[in-house]
Amino acid sequence: MINTNATNFRKNMFELIDQTVRYNEPVNISTKSGNAVLISEEEYNNLVETLYLNSIPNMSEKLKDGIETPLEECEEFEW
């Protein structure tokens, strides 16, 4: 995570946004009244999806079971 203050963020805003988008590198922006974090849209969407999946009852257990299932026990699925 990149740490900067609001003044430096303003000076380097385009470069910091570019780094955030290209490399999913969050930026922690500190101010006198608190901090803010800049993340890429991709990272934001990933967080929202994770929160959604974790809000479904028993979904995290099903995902863990799926990860632990050996590939040879999986069935092929056609769309």
Side-chain angles (χ1 to χ4, degrees), residues 15-72:
E15 177 186 334
L16 290 168
I17 291 172
D18 187 56
Q19 281 186 287
T20 298
V21 171
R22 285 181 186 233
Y23 308 112
N24 283 327
E25 181 72 29
V27 179
N28 180 14
I29 307 160
S30 58
T31 70
K32 292 177 184 175
S33 58
N35 295 346
V37 176
L38 173 70
I39 60 173
S40 68
E41 181 181 26
E42 179 183 0
E43 190 68 23
Y44 172 79
N45 289 334
N46 291 340
L47 288 170
V48 170
E49 181 178 10
T50 299
L51 289 172
Y52 170 72
L53 290 173
N54 283 320
S55 74
I56 300 170
N58 301 317
M59 181 58 78
S60 60
E61 289 81 12
K62 290 178 184 180
L63 292 171
K64 288 176 189 173
D65 289 343
I67 290 170
E68 294 171 356
T69 302
L71 190 56
E72 52 274 354

